[in-house]
Structures are given as structure tokens and as C-alpha cells.
Amino acid sequence: MKGAAERIAELRAQIARHNRLYYELDRPEISDAEYDRLMQELRALERAHPKLLTADSPTQRVGAPPSGKFAKVRHAVPMLSLANALAPEDVVAFVERVRRFLGLEGGEPIDFTAEPKIDGLSLSLRYERGGLARGATRGDGTEGEDVTPNVKAVRGIPRTLEGGDAPEVCEVRGEVYMMKSAFLALNAQQEAAGRPVFANPRNSAAGSLRQLDPAVTASRPLEFFAYAWGEMTALPARTQWGMLEWFARHGLKTNPLARLCHSVEELLEFHREIELVRATLDYDIDGVVYKVDRLDWQERLGFVSRDPRWAVAHKFPAQKATTLVKAIEVQVGRTGALTPVAKLAPVSVGGVVVSNATLNNEDHIRELDVRVGDTVTIQRAGDVIPQVLGVVRERRPAGARRYVFPRTCPCPLATAVVRDRTAAGEEGRIARCSGELACPYQRIEHLRHFVSRRAFDIDGLGERQIALFYEKGWIREPADLFELAARNPTIKLEEQEGFGETSARKLFAAIEARRTVPLERFIHALGIRHVGETTARALARGYGSWPALREACSRLAAGHAEARLEMDALDQIGETVVDSIAAYFSDRHNVQMVERLARQVRIRDAERPAQDSPLAGKTVVFTGHLEHLSREEAKALAERCGATVSGSVSRKTDWVVAGREAGSKLRRAGELGVQVIDEAQFLALTGTAA
Ligand code: IVH
């Protein structure tokens, strides 16, 4: 049994490390619940041994990291992200795409609002009858955290909207940020008080907002810029620009640099100008945002996945730094892909401390000839993992040896490594451990993916716990998780190092809470290659229920051509995905694993969008030229009404929408006896007037 003093020291060191990961690096390794557990244990020990309590203990500090105690809020209107444009060509392409989608002639002008892209965190403020009723963080875009008391403590956010004419419900969205000067002053204060300092203004704004004690938030100099909205019972303007003006007139701050632009040239000019003044601004920005000004056009343009078609973020070039490569390690991903990672001497890149950077793959290391001991340039662009760009040759130490990529997996089985093949049979860039599900590293990664936030979202199961459970042989595959509680009389989790009665009970409760799962999460959690969140959602919508999807996958794996066509016809799904799903369900072990899991959980049918539309659940094929809608817009409209749009006519097609000069598809519809309608009838079905 460890002495109390020793355990206390260990806990303080662990907590200090997690504070650093959270505050400085914005890269927490453990869940809030696990963090709480460490704090609770420390508090209990200090209570039992008051002599060991010191002033610098993390328990004596105000403003610990958030502890998962904020209530969840479902956003009435999802909070979206933005597609990125990196080069001027991307901006030109964006404008052309908007033009094409709206079916506008080349000469017709489109106005855009251009705004700086603030590097803070987005927030949704709900005003009811003019009064601030709720503040919520973005979270995953669908569900955020209720931070109302904290939001009320932010000085730049009015408690009531001015003017007395606000719509009944008015959800204002924008960015919370901290001035650079205020951030430096806060860090100086933190340092003087022996508290952790923040790595950059963004982390410090996030840390300040997500405080359990709103008094702490109030003491931090946070600011807010309004730039978007969620639920609105009435829209007070018809343009983005008009909305910004309306916000400003009602007591909300809007960015003074925003500008109304009338052409691509003006957009690019705005980008250039803002990049020039960037360093002189007292807040961090990482690019500019362009938005189609007319709100009726925004409405028509709609979204692709989570990104609006009517807006784009034009980023500034990435920030770079040079540092030393201390080691090169190989990490095994969930699909067995081996990713070499450079372990670096920590360096600050654009305000964030970086100590790892990806080297992508074997060829990349060879091409750059990166060696241990080399000085390298690295870059960090947006949220992506830092990358190694190149070697500073002059600084290579004598005797540095060429890096040899391992031929075996670093896992205990040391299975052979094989290179992927492209469709044409050429060697691909990715090296994979051939052990598949026998490789413990892959299994562990697979389990980590399974419990992660966007998949089954099981709280309290971090990397360490999964590795432990795996090592003990308690969980080898997802289904085992759901049997853990029943097997506990023999396992006795509460007696394991790092667990207690409460934490074991909490974990079992967290697992139990996920026994019912939406179909899309279930699919995403399986970790099939190329099947991410968006694809999973498309599959869920397309098939509706697990039995239907399961059936389709079996037929696909058995090589049924029709099953293949059917899946391929779904929006967002292409050949690669279909091949990958076919391969996955052709493997007996995978099928067994999925079946076992499906018996343990209840899989909720997909929410069919707009059930009340006559198009819901129907399959539609478009052919010929339409008068009022571009092809892309028609497809999006049909999908919004819950229809599936297919590229070819089959017996399963419900309607063929024929425009001018329709050809072979129209003939095929005639042959198969599929009902043909025109554009006006289609618009009537969608409830839209031409
Ligand atoms: S508009 C549907 N405007 O950037 C449009 N976003 O990459 C949603 N952001 O989550 C966002 N400044 O946190 C918009 N002027 C601005 C912005 C801005 C910063 C952030 C926001 C968003 C992220 C998307």
C-alpha cells in the first residue's frame, strides 16, 4: 500500500500535467469525469491528512477546468462549421458554384458580406422577448453546453436587446474571444499567483467561459462579436449585411472591419487588406469569411453536410516554426495504418506549444529524408495536426543516420507490415499492420473510436482504461463493454487501481445509458474504413433501420449487383465507400462482431427528414433541363423533403422528374412504367411555388 504522501504527490503531478494539456495545449487526454475523479481522490486524501495540505495544491485553486457539470443543450438550429478556401482559386470556385447553383447568368451581380474570422469560440445566445434567456457553447454543433450564468457575466453581451422590437425568440450567434493585451495581463496575473498560464487567447477565452463559478468568468475580460443567428421567430432583415446592422442597433457588437463586397476581386482585396492589418489587431483572426448577402439566396443554397453552401472561410497561410527531432515513433491507427510521428523539442507555433508532428507516411520521410537529430520546419494550419515540412540540412549533426521504416508492427505480435494497393494495383502510400483484429494496438484503437464522443460517447473510458481492460482480457470487442457490468462479480472493477465503488458504478451507468443508440452513431462506431460521420448519416437515412441496412450489406458482400447500385445511388456515397463496406461485411469476424454487438444494444431507426412530405422515403430521378432550379438545387430540395435522388431509373424509382430535352431516362421510365412528372408538379410536391 502506497503512503498517503506519495499518492498525494503523484496525484498533484498528474493533475498539473492534465491542467497543462487542457489549458495550454487545448488537448486534454482524459475526460472531465476522469479529471474530477483525480481531484476527488486528492481532496479526500488531503481531508484525511490535513498536515499534507499545501497552498499550491490544485485543490486550493479557483477556476479548475470544466468538469462536465454543465447541462447539455440541444440547438434548435444546428451550429455549423465552414468550408475552407486556401487559395484565390478556391474563392473563385466558391463564387462560381454559388452562381451555378442559383442558376444565375454570368452578368448578374452577387453581393457578399466579408468579415474577419475571429479565432475564439462560438456561442449561441437565446433572447426571449428581448431578454437574455440562455447561452450555449457550440459543442458538436447539435448539442452544446448550457453556460447561461457565465454568459451573463461577459460584459460585452447585453442582458436585454435594445430597441424593444426584438422578435419573440432571437438566437444571436457569434464569437467569444479575449483581447491579446488582456490575455497577456491575465497570464501575468496567473503566473504571479502560481496558477497555470494559458497558451493563447483562444484557450484562455475557452477556459474563462467554461468556469463552474461565474464570478471567475466575470473577472476575465471576455468580448463578443455577433455574426450569425439560429432560431428567429421573425427575420428583421433580408440580407446578411442588414442583419449585422440590426445586431449593432440592438446593442450587440459587430466587427467594425466587416464590408459589403460586390465581386470576387473585392473579396480577394478584402483578404489582402485584412492580412496586412492582422498583426495590429488586438484579437486573433485566422482568416476571413465570405457570405452570400441575400438571405433568400442563402436559404436556397442550403448546406452540404455541416457546411453552408453560401459561405466560405478564406484562411490565412499556416504558421511555421523550426525545432529539433528527438525521436521518430510509429503509431498504429484503428485500421492498422502506421503513421510515423516526429517527437519534437517543444516549440511555440502561432501561440500553441507543439511537441509532436506527423510525418504522414514512409515515403514522406524518405522524400524529406528526416533523421533523428535533424532540425526541421513544421507548420500548423488551423486545427489540423502539425506537419513536418522539411529539413534544415545545414544543421544536421554529423553521424545522423537515415531513418529505416519498421517492417513489422510495433505491437507485441510484431506482425508484418504491408503496403496498400491502389485500384490500379500499384503500391499505395499507406503501410498497414497485417494483423487486422489480431493486432492489439488496432483493437485498442478500434475500441477507443467506438467509445469516442462522435460514436457511442461513453464517458469515463479513456485511453488508459481501455488499454487496462484490454490487457486484462475483459474487453476485446465492443459487445464486451455491454457485458462488463454482468461480469463484474468476477472482475471486481472497484478493486482495481484507479477505480473505486463510485467510479465503477458511474462507468457501468455510462455504458448502460448508451444501450439505445441512433442508427447513424451505430454505423459510425463500427469504424469501417471510409465510413465517417457524414457517410454513416447518409446510410442511416438511406436505409432507415438496422435490419434494412444489415440486409443490404449482406447482399452487397455476396456480390448482388442491385444491392451495389442501390447503395451507390445514395447521396454522399461513392464507389470507395461501397467497396469498403462490401469488404468489411465479407469478413466473417467482422460480421460476428457486429451481430454480437447488435444483440446487446437497441438501434433506433433513423430520423427520416420531413416525414410529412409526400416525397419522404421516395426515390426520384431527374432528367433534362429544368426551368426554375439548377440540377444541384433540385437534388438538394428533394433530399430536404426526405427523398433519395438516384442517377438511374429502376423499378424502385417512384418518380422521374423530366425537364426539357429529356432522353434515355425518360424512355426507360416509360418501359418500366415509372410515373413521370414535370418540374411544376415536382415543386408542388415539395411545397415550393415556382
Ligand atoms: S459564420 C453558418 N462568421 O468559424 C455560418 N463564423 O469555421 C457559421 N467564426 O464555428 C459561422 N468568425 O466559430 C462565421 N465572422 C464569422 C466568424 C466565424 C469566426 C468561427 C465560428 C465557426 C467557425 C467555422
Side-chain angles (χ1 to χ4, degrees):
M1 171 79 198
K2 230 175 244 165
E6 204 182 328
R7 180 67 186 148
I8 285 179
E10 193 175 280
L11 284 166
R12 285 182 187 159
Q14 276 178 19
I15 291 169
R17 179 167 166 271
H18 291 303
N19 276 347
R20 198 176 114 73
L21 285 167
Y22 184 89
Y23 281 105
E24 293 175 45
L25 308 176
D26 201 17
R27 208 180 51 214
E29 281 180 3
I30 59 174
S31 68
D32 296 345
E34 285 171 79
Y35 180 89
D36 280 354
R37 217 141 52 212
L38 295 176
M39 279 295 246
Q40 269 160 20
E41 191 187 342
L42 180 59
R43 253 186 231 113
L45 278 171
E46 288 176 344
R47 258 199 309 274
H49 307 274
K51 283 209 185 102
L52 298 175
L53 181 61
T54 54
D56 66 351
S57 167
T59 57
Q60 302 306 299
R61 183 176 298 157
V62 276
S67 40
K69 294 200 180 75
F70 295 106
K72 296 254 158 104
V73 185
R74 234 188 135 71
H75 299 299
V77 177
M79 289 182 79
L80 304 153
S81 48
L82 291 171
N84 287 335
L86 298 170
E89 299 84 80
D90 302 335
V91 179
V92 173
F94 160 71
V95 175
E96 270 168 11
R97 186 166 152 72
V98 166
R99 202 174 274 292
R100 207 175 47 236
F101 193 99
L102 294 173
L104 299 180
E105 301 298 328
E108 190 157 351
I110 310 178
D111 286 349
F112 292 91
T113 305
E115 309 161 22
K117 185 168 185 298
I118 316 299
D119 196 9
L121 62 148
S122 47
L123 203 63
S124 187
L125 306 172
R126 188 181 172 91
Y127 289 89
E128 288 172 3
R129 285 176 299 278
L132 180 55
R134 198 179 66 201
T137 62
R138 178 175 186 275
D140 63 2
T142 315
E143 208 178 61
E145 285 177 326
D146 187 336
V147 287
T148 309
N150 306 48
V151 156
K152 288 188 172 164
V154 175
R155 280 159 309 161
I157 296 177
R159 300 276 188 113
T160 44
L161 292 176
E162 287 165 16
D165 61 345
E168 172 85 15
V169 173
C170 179
E171 268 182 21
V172 180
R173 290 176 176 176
E175 205 83 352
V176 173
Y177 64 97
M178 193 180 280
M179 293 279 196
K180 293 182 199 167
S181 48
F183 153 76
L184 292 173
L186 173 65
N187 260 1
Q189 248 178 48
Q190 289 280 108
E191 200 160 0
R195 292 195 285 257
V197 293
F198 294 100
N200 54 41
R202 190 190 174 281
N203 288 6
S204 115
S208 301
L209 187 73
R210 298 177 77 246
Q211 287 288 334
L212 283 185
D213 180 1
V216 179
T217 309
S219 74
R220 303 275 174 85
L222 293 173
E223 318 272 337
F224 180 80
F225 276 136
Y227 53 66
W229 56 94
E231 189 184 343
M232 293 287 250
T233 38
L235 267 184
R238 293 154 78 138
T239 58
Q240 177 75 30
W241 189 255
M243 286 300 287
L244 290 180
E245 288 181 330
W246 190 86
F247 286 153
R249 277 203 307 277
H250 288 74
L252 292 152
K253 255 188 90 181
T254 54
N255 193 293
L257 298 171
R259 180 185 301 168
L260 190 60
C261 296
H262 311 285
S263 64
V264 187
E265 292 72 31
E266 285 183 32
L267 294 181
L268 297 175
E269 176 58 27
F270 180 77
H271 185 265
R272 269 193 300 276
E273 282 178 30
I274 299 296
E275 193 174 5
L276 283 179
V277 298
R278 182 184 188 186
T280 66
L281 298 176
D282 199 10
Y283 46 87
D284 276 338
I285 58 174
D286 54 354
V288 296
V289 184
Y290 310 134
K291 300 172 186 170
V292 169
D293 197 43
R294 268 175 63 167
L295 300 186
D296 57 334
W297 281 355
Q298 288 191 2
E299 175 85 17
R300 276 177 62 191
L301 285 155
F303 306 88
V304 202
S305 187
R306 285 161 175 271
D307 304 334
R309 273 197 202 86
W310 44 266
V312 74
H314 190 182
K315 302 295 268 290
F316 294 135
Q319 288 166 307
K320 295 177 190 165
T322 60
T323 187
L324 193 75
V325 177
K326 296 199 297 189
I328 296 176
E329 283 177 7
V330 171
Q331 288 176 353
V332 185
R334 127 177 95 83
T335 57
L338 300 187
T339 307
V341 176
K343 298 277 158 182
L344 307 168
V347 60
S348 168
V349 194
V352 171
V353 179
V354 171
S355 46
N356 293 311
T358 180
L359 285 161
N360 300 322
N361 52 52
E362 181 177 2
D363 294 352
H364 192 65
I365 300 189
R366 188 171 336 104
E367 282 153 19
L368 299 179
D369 186 19
V370 179
R371 307 181 183 192
V372 174
D374 268 345
T375 297
V376 290
T377 42
I378 59 167
Q379 91 166 7
R380 194 178 65 88
D383 285 335
V384 302
I385 319 160
Q387 282 185 313
V388 174
L389 293 180
V391 175
V392 186
R393 285 298 172 97
E394 311 82 73
R395 299 233 212 130
R396 174 168 288 165
R401 266 183 297 168
R402 207 169 236 292
Y403 178 74
V404 184
F405 201 82
R407 299 267 70 95
T408 57
C409 179
C411 80
L413 294 182
T415 336
V417 166
V418 288
R419 290 279 285 252
D420 272 2
R421 299 252 152 222
T422 65
E426 286 155 19
E427 192 169 72
R429 292 201 133 212
I430 299 176
R432 245 176 248 282
C433 158
S434 57
E436 307 227 340
L437 289 177
C439 168
Y441 286 10
Q442 281 186 56
R443 286 242 179 178
I444 290 173
E445 286 305 312
H446 182 232
L447 287 162
R448 280 182 63 190
H449 166 76
F450 183 83
V451 303
S452 67
R453 202 164 102 168
R454 300 261 163 115
F456 264 66
D457 188 22
I458 299 178
D459 237 3
L461 266 183
E463 186 177 358
R464 243 176 328 118
Q465 288 80 357
I466 289 191
L468 171 79
F469 292 4
Y470 188 88
E471 220 171 88
K472 298 259 184 196
W474 300 337
I475 49 170
R476 284 286 140 105
E477 56 178 71
D480 296 333
L481 281 167
F482 294 95
E483 290 174 359
L484 206 57
R487 288 173 53 209
N488 200 46
T490 35
I491 291 173
K492 297 208 182 16
L493 187 58
E494 58 284 356
E495 289 172 16
Q496 299 297 319
E497 161 104 39
F499 280 94
E501 287 280 351
T502 322
S503 53
R505 196 161 5 96
K506 269 197 187 159
L507 176 59
F508 294 142
I511 295 173
E512 205 48 46
R514 294 294 181 261
R515 218 179 261 277
T516 302
V517 60
L519 178 57
E520 59 191 71
R521 274 185 186 259
F522 180 83
I523 302 168
H524 178 224
L526 296 180
I528 302 169
R529 213 181 293 171
H530 304 299
V531 180
E533 245 184 323
T534 308
T535 312
R537 200 172 309 126
L539 287 167
R541 290 222 171 130
Y543 291 94
S545 72
W546 170 242
L549 176 63
R550 172 75 190 83
E551 166 76 18
C553 293
S554 309
R555 291 198 301 135
L556 181 67
H560 286 269
E562 206 159 313
R564 171 168 278 276
L565 282 178
E566 190 181 276
M567 193 174 286
D568 203 12
L570 292 178
D571 191 29
Q572 316 261 17
I573 295 196
E575 283 287 314
T576 323
V577 170
V578 179
D579 286 343
S580 174
I581 295 176
Y584 184 91
F585 282 92
S586 307
D587 182 308
R588 193 167 46 87
H589 298 291
N590 287 339
V591 173
Q592 276 168 3
M593 193 193 76
V594 175
E595 295 291 340
R596 251 196 83 201
L597 176 64
R599 279 196 297 276
Q600 289 288 345
V601 295
R602 208 177 71 75
I603 306 165
R604 235 182 13 232
D605 290 354
E607 282 170 30
R608 294 286 189 141
Q611 273 296 7
D612 48 352
S613 164
L615 282 162
K618 303 287 195 225
T619 301
V620 180
V621 174
F622 291 98
T623 177
H625 296 286
L626 303 180
E627 291 299 325
H628 300 282
L629 303 168
S630 70
R631 182 64 72 79
E632 228 179 323
E633 185 174 14
K635 184 162 178 274
L637 187 57
E639 280 167 359
R640 228 179 294 151
C641 293
T644 304
V645 178
S646 168
S648 57
V649 182
S650 75
R651 274 175 224 289
K652 296 207 178 129
T653 310
D654 293 293
W655 283 297
V656 167
V657 183
R660 261 185 305 115
E661 296 163 34
S664 64
K665 289 183 194 168
L666 188 56
R667 267 201 309 282
R668 180 95 179 116
E671 285 160 23
L672 295 174
V674 173
Q675 196 179 351
V676 178
I677 56 176
D678 64 16
E679 187 180 2
Q681 286 169 303
F682 168 72
L683 284 170
L685 285 172
T686 65
T688 318

